[in-house]
Amino acid sequence: MVGKKSGKALLREEGLERTDNNMEQTSWPVIQPINQKNYYVDFLKRDEQFLAVRTQQEEARNKMIKHAKDRDRALAQGRQIGPDGDVDMDEEEEEEEEEEDELSAGNKTIVIHPGSQNLRIGLASDLLPKSIPMVIARRANTSESEEDMGEPMPKRRKLDDGKVEPVPEKRFGEEFATKFVAASNELKVRMRMNKRKVLPQSRDMVTSYNRRATYDTINEHNDTMHIDWTDVGKEPEYVAGRAALRIPDLSKPRYKLYWPIQHGWINERDYDSIRNIYNDIQLIIEDSVRTELKLDLRTRKDWAQYNCVIVIPDYYERTYVTSLLDLAIQDLGVARVCFIQESLAASFGAGFTTTCIVDIGAQKTSICCVEDGMVIDNSRVNLKYGGQDVTDSFVKMIIYNHFPYADVNLKRRYDFLLVEELKSKFSTIAEADISVQLYDFHVRAPGQDTRKYTFKIYDEVALPTLALFKPETFDDHKGKLIGRRKLISRSYDLYDGKPNDPTSTAQNEILKAIAPADLPPEPQKLLFAKINGLNGIKDESDSRRPSIARVQDLDPGTPLASGASSPVRKLNELTPQPDSTLHENGNGVGTPNPDESFLKIGQPGDDTLMLDSAEHTNTFDPLALERRDDILPIYPLANAITSSINHAARGSSSKTRDLYQSLLLIGGASKVNGLGPHLEQTLVGLLADTGYSRDIVVNRPPRDLDSEVVVWKGGAVFGRMSRTNDSWVTPFLYERLGERVLASKLMWAW
């Protein structure tokens, strides 16, 4: 009989005995569960945890290490060390070292200030920038002067015998004639009040002379100022800048001009895709760098040796800024990029610390207050008129007074250059210079002999500029909203879906003042996409937008055209046409009426869309006018300045006085003789009852600096601040963070 076996023997015989060395089953660390009642994390709660801040701290650390090595090297060489740890140098040596640092930084920094009509570009070390027309010419079937009958204004009618009807007073309609005569009479009254001599028959003297005026012909070899027109015999794909304006209108092959930026916005009216717009901007910049700056930058390797400072508007759009950032880093391939706002750059260029900047450009006027190197957000005002509106009114007024060269056409390139020259030469609002004057000019057209005209002019030199203070005199605003939001939609917050473009209470106050009381709650543009889909019309806008039928789900803040005459159109003389395809097919959209239970969209006989108006009125805020794109900001200049300063001062009388005492008038359209004193007088009369009328001082840029380049000059100063400028964005940061890096790099709230 076998005896009983122990437990160990059984485990050993059965193979159940543990034979390992008590090692853990895995080498992965075992994470113990945290105490849910008391725990704390600091993830992304400290600045040094952000990549943009970490790289900046690493640069500072590298500079500190370099400084320590230089100090040790100086000690080894027996040089003296100062109490601050730096190597002792004379003041002259320190200044020379700083100048060398700034010069070396400026020689490798390109400052770019794109505008609606001109691009100003140059190295930060340059004294003045190069001004290049912001235009590009591309091959096309017809030029812009051959489209739409070739006239931006009504043609002169031909009589039965073939002669042209000599009635220029009726050429632009009775409304223009009424405005012109009223403005002229008002100027006469003011001149008489100021004891200025006014001849009673001044206009008759002008018209009678201009009717009889003829021209003299000058052969090309006798014309010392003849123009060298651009030769397109090699048929280049595009011609950019100043050479594009020198292409003959009837060249073979034909070329058409494109302006990528218009009225301070991206030009969506004349383009079919966003890529083409920014591609043209890139080509204009590259061509300007090669031809004007004489820098042979053709590859990304060449561009990687240079930094770039881009000047953007104060009242910018986020998509515009992010697109320029992508263009500079991805397309051009520069080493670093930084942005600066126009008003802040102007304060740098003029040397003002606290000021109110009034920048009158070619197609927009911006007003903004700057205090201690920071832009006051709520003081930003952006008005959509400028020097080009002055040019249009100037041409119409001289034609009204029987201008001898009556066939002038602003769509023809040589006529456009001629009118700009006449306006810059003769425009003035100084009352001492307003009288009947005799002048001459030369018409130089490609393939033709030069023609010399003489003409008389009276108050046409002053009235177009005075219209800045009464913009209702301008009557060409109706086309400025065409194509708005056709290609580029608003930027929306990723989390709450709200528009995140910057806002300004001063701009909102102006929009409230010009908007009618019965304005629809919130016009929508995606409504057009739905209607076009129902009517079989192809949508040319952004394909990423969803096709939504409900009004409350549509894209807020975009225009809705009105089939009937709306109060907005009566007040601002606007005819918004957000979708050119829709307009051409005649599918009008009625103005929504909140009192109706349903909104009917479309015309009788077409497919219609029924929308619930109750949900519409409860969803949108009718007071958020700064988000709207169907209201064009047109407002008197002096009133806009007072609105900007009031919102900047916030009731502080001392700050209000400081801003009125430091008004800075800049911009190409502000160079008219007498504009500064007239603006000062207008503000004094406007603020006569407030107690600030004695504090108003309108300044010009110091040191005889051209008012056109003050903004660029400030950008150049900012670009040379290599030691204190922490706003640079590198390709390394952009590759990893994208446009989010701007929140850490810009000097203002992004």
Side-chain angles (χ1 to χ4, degrees), residues 280-474:
D280 283 356
I281 295 177
Q282 177 184 350
L283 292 176
I284 294 173
I285 293 175
E286 291 178 339
D287 184 82
S288 302
V289 168
R290 288 193 297 266
T291 59
E292 300 293 337
L293 302 185
K294 308 301 181 183
L295 299 177
D296 190 17
L297 306 181
R298 299 183 181 275
T299 63
R300 291 178 59 89
K301 185 178 180 180
D302 299 331
W303 279 96
Q305 302 175 11
Y306 287 84
N307 306 324
C308 183
V309 177
I310 303 178
V311 184
I312 62 174
D314 308 311
Y315 202 67
Y316 59 87
E317 294 182 349
R318 289 172 65 107
T319 54
Y320 174 69
V321 179
T322 56
S323 299
L324 289 181
L325 175 63
D326 184 79
L327 184 148
I329 293 182
Q330 297 290 347
D331 298 333
L332 296 179
V334 298
R336 296 185 301 176
V337 184
C338 69
F339 295 93
I340 184 172
Q341 293 171 292
E342 289 177 343
S343 293
L344 183 58
S347 67
F348 282 1
F352 285 66
T353 56
T354 299
T355 179
C356 178
I357 306 294
V358 182
D359 186 358
I360 307 176
Q363 298 180 12
K364 72 174 178 65
T365 298
S366 61
I367 305 168
C368 183
C369 296
V370 179
E371 183 181 19
D372 296 333
M374 291 295 294
V375 170
I376 303 177
D377 294 342
N378 286 328
S379 68
R380 293 175 293 185
V381 172
N382 194 301
L383 307 176
K384 299 304 179 183
Y385 59 76
Q388 183 172 328
D389 298 275
V390 175
T391 302
D392 296 340
S393 297
F394 176 73
V395 171
K396 291 183 178 181
M397 289 179 182
I398 60 177
I399 291 178
Y400 184 91
N401 284 346
H402 295 262
F403 189 56
Y405 180 44
D407 292 332
V408 59
N409 178 6
L410 289 179
K411 281 192 173 182
R412 283 200 296 260
R413 295 155 196 171
Y414 59 88
D415 282 349
F416 172 77
L417 297 174
L418 170 65
V419 173
E420 288 289 333
E421 180 184 359
L422 294 178
K423 184 191 70 171
S424 62
K425 280 186 177 180
F426 306 139
S427 292
T428 178
I429 58 175
E431 296 179 355
D433 300 333
I434 300 176
S435 61
V436 179
Q437 300 286 343
L438 178 64
Y439 296 108
D440 61 64
F441 65 94
H442 298 77
V443 178
R444 297 179 174 89
Q448 302 179 17
D449 291 333
T450 302
R451 289 170 287 172
K452 179 182 179 181
Y453 289 87
T454 59
F455 73 108
K456 283 188 176 182
I457 196 169
Y458 177 44
D459 54 3
E460 302 94 314
V461 297
L463 295 180
T465 305
L466 290 174
L468 296 172
F469 301 90
K470 289 188 176 181
E472 61 271 10
T473 307
F474 298 139

Side-chain angles (χ1 to χ4, degrees), residues 155-171 207 210-211 399-403 406:
K155 279 188 174 182
R156 297 182 297 168
R157 295 185 301 172
K158 290 186 177 181
L159 302 178
D160 297 336
D161 56 357
K163 297 182 179 180
V164 179
E165 183 181 17
V167 188
E169 293 90 347
K170 298 181 180 179
R171 187 170 174 181
T207 56
N210 290 341
R211 283 195 186 100
I399 291 178
Y400 184 91
N401 284 346
H402 295 262
F403 189 56

Side-chain angles (χ1 to χ4, degrees), residues 113 118 120 131 666-669 671 705-712:
H113 181 203
N118 292 297
R120 291 178 177 86
S131 294
I666 62 173
K671 298 169 66 174
L705 187 63
D706 190 353
S707 59
E708 292 185 4
V709 302
V710 175
V711 175
W712 181 92

Side-chain angles (χ1 to χ4, degrees), residues 525-543:
K525 181 170 182 182
L526 285 186
L527 212 52
F528 286 99
K530 182 64 180 179
I531 300 168
N532 290 348
L534 293 175
N535 291 308
I537 303 174
K538 184 180 178 181
D539 186 8
E540 300 292 340
S541 57
D542 193 353
S543 60

Side-chain angles (χ1 to χ4, degrees), residues 59 65 131 168 258 369 379 513 562 590 733 739:
E59 292 179 2
I65 295 173
S131 294
Y258 291 91
C369 296
S379 68
S562 175
L733 293 176
E739 63 186 53

